Amino acid sequence: MSHRIGVIPGDGIGHEVIPEALKVIAAAGVSLDTVDYDLGGARYLRDGVVLTDDIVEEWRGLDALLLGAVGTPDVPPGLIERGLLLKMRFDLDLYVNQRPFLAPDGTHDFIVIRENTEGTYAGEGGFLRRGTPHEVATQGSVNTRMGVERCIRYAFDLAASRPRQHLTMVHKTNVLTFAGDLWERTFTEVAAEYPSVTTAYNHVDAACIYFVEAPQRYDVIVTDNLFGDILTDLGGAVSGGIGFASSGNLNPARTGPSMFEPVHGSAPDIAGQNRANPVAAILSAAMMLEFLGEIDAGARIRAACAETATLVGSTTEVGDLVVARL
């Protein structure tokens, strides 16, 4: 069975790590029918295209998307992020961002489930008297019962499938009394349907401390869009580095393709030098395969990556080492 996959190398080191991920997939014995897309900061600088509705409609006919990294220093901050990454999440309803973190020494193994289409990233807000001394900027956090509940329910399902069966909600309910209240009430109500899952709550600032001092306390974490974005970068830092951090932007309802990408950026400072760690991209590809039902191949890739976690080499050398261990 061949899976039809959209491949978006993007910018910078994306063009180096994605070929390694595809090489490993092939070595694992999985057949892909790939469609390449030239999107990102370089494409925008060339012809002004970020992401068109026609391309999004074309993606709806694919099984998944594999993205490298996007962004270049010459493009204004936020333009590619909102025009490409957020548009993908919103238009394809990729409402779960799943990011696993496994320490190389095995001391911790946890997964962060980040709500991916609401919160402060929804785009609510604006300017008053922009450019004057009395300028006002507002940036609202959009939280719907439907959006919060489907994310929390996914997290409970995931926690129930894991050995520890534990789920922690992270928010800031003592200050964000409206959004936090909605999250807390929804979490409590859904928890009643999962008696086997034990639960906990942490304020986000406390969670930052625990990530550093005692990450082994966590199993599955569920949180909102902004907090999840920040926490998962920290999760990468305490789990071997951002070069090992993978992610899946998921549409669990499967009404369209899910998108998989390493957490790291395009790293223009080392682009083209064959120095980037490809493991995050390879692990993201493993997540993609598992989501597509290729469970054995995904597990073998993960095991091979674990065996190479402490080895040093160029981008292509690390890819070759993972292939050799499959």
Side-chain angles (χ1 to χ4, degrees), residues 96-100 116 246-250 259-261 284 287:
V96 164
N97 191 308
Q98 181 167 322
R99 297 186 174 183
N116 212 31
S246 58
S247 76
N249 296 263
L250 308 180
M259 185 269 281
F260 301 83
E261 61 174 332
S284 298
M287 290 184 68

Side-chain angles (χ1 to χ4, degrees), residues 97-114 162 164 211 215-216 218-221 223 227-248 262-264 280 283 287 302:
N97 191 308
Q98 181 167 322
R99 297 186 174 183
F101 299 98
L102 174 63
D105 61 4
T107 54
H108 64 259
D109 176 5
F110 64 89
I111 299 175
V112 177
I113 300 301
R114 164 191 171 190
R162 288 167 59 87
R164 289 176 60 187
F211 265 41
Q216 66 274 7
Y218 293 115
D219 181 21
V220 179
I221 296 166
T223 189
F227 295 148
D229 194 1
I230 297 167
L231 279 176
T232 51
D233 280 358
L234 181 57
V238 300
S239 303
I242 205 73
F244 296 96
S246 58
S247 76
V263 173
H264 62 66
L283 288 173
M287 290 184 68
R302 287 186 184 283

Side-chain angles (χ1 to χ4, degrees), residues 16 30 72 127 132 317:
E16 299 168 63
V30 178
T72 61
F127 292 103
T132 75
E317 287 171 343

Side-chain angles (χ1 to χ4, degrees), residues 150-261:
R150 65 182 183 176
C151 180
I152 288 175
R153 193 171 294 279
Y154 179 90
F156 269 104
D157 285 336
L158 178 62
S161 72
R162 288 167 59 87
R164 289 176 60 187
Q165 295 192 316
H166 188 270
L167 178 62
T168 303
M169 189 186 96
V170 172
H171 210 281
K172 191 67 174 172
T173 56
N174 59 335
V175 175
L176 304 178
T177 53
F178 301 123
D181 183 72
L182 174 58
W183 273 82
E184 187 173 42
R185 282 186 289 110
T186 305
F187 185 81
T188 300
E189 291 170 20
V190 174
E193 302 177 32
Y194 294 84
S196 68
V197 178
T198 57
T199 62
Y201 170 78
N202 291 159
H203 289 325
V204 65
D205 43 353
C208 288
I209 297 172
Y210 299 145
F211 265 41
V212 175
E213 294 185 346
Q216 66 274 7
R217 70 187 290 155
Y218 293 115
D219 181 21
V220 179
I221 296 166
V222 65
T223 189
D224 84 343
N225 208 337
L226 177 59
F227 295 148
D229 194 1
I230 297 167
L231 279 176
T232 51
D233 280 358
L234 181 57
V238 300
S239 303
I242 205 73
F244 296 96
S246 58
S247 76
N249 296 263
L250 308 180
N251 176 336
R254 299 178 188 264
T255 57
S258 293
M259 185 269 281
F260 301 83
E261 61 174 332

Side-chain angles (χ1 to χ4, degrees), residues 1-5 25 29-33 63 289 291-294:
M1 178 180 179
S2 181
H3 304 282
R4 190 165 170 79
I5 305 298
I25 290 173
V30 178
S31 175
L32 299 183
D33 177 12
D63 296 316
L289 294 183
F291 195 76
L292 294 173
E294 302 283 356

Side-chain angles (χ1 to χ4, degrees), residues 106-162:
T107 54
H108 64 259
D109 176 5
F110 64 89
I111 299 175
V112 177
I113 300 301
R114 164 191 171 190
E115 199 292 316
N116 212 31
T117 59
E118 296 190 344
T120 50
Y121 291 12
E124 191 276 334
F127 292 103
L128 294 174
R129 299 183 290 277
R130 189 171 188 270
T132 75
H134 304 287
E135 180 173 348
V136 177
T138 62
Q139 192 82 57
S141 178
V142 177
N143 300 265
T144 68
R145 171 66 191 226
M146 182 272 290
V148 171
E149 181 173 340
R150 65 182 183 176
C151 180
I152 288 175
R153 193 171 294 279
Y154 179 90
F156 269 104
D157 285 336
L158 178 62
S161 72
R162 288 167 59 87

Side-chain angles (χ1 to χ4, degrees), residues 24 27-28 244 279 282-283 286 296-311 318-326:
V24 170
F244 296 96
V279 171
I282 295 170
L283 288 173
D296 177 68
R300 288 191 291 117
I301 291 172
R302 287 186 184 283
C305 286
E307 292 177 15
T308 63
T310 59
L311 301 179
V318 171
D320 289 341
L321 288 170
V322 175
V323 167
R325 283 161 173 74
L326 283 172

Side-chain angles (χ1 to χ4, degrees), residues 72-94:
T72 61
D74 297 326
V75 177
L79 193 151
I80 300 298
E81 291 83 354
R82 180 158 292 278
L84 177 59
L85 296 178
L86 294 189
K87 181 176 174 61
M88 292 170 73
R89 295 173 186 174
F90 298 153
D91 289 5
L92 298 174
D93 202 21
L94 308 179

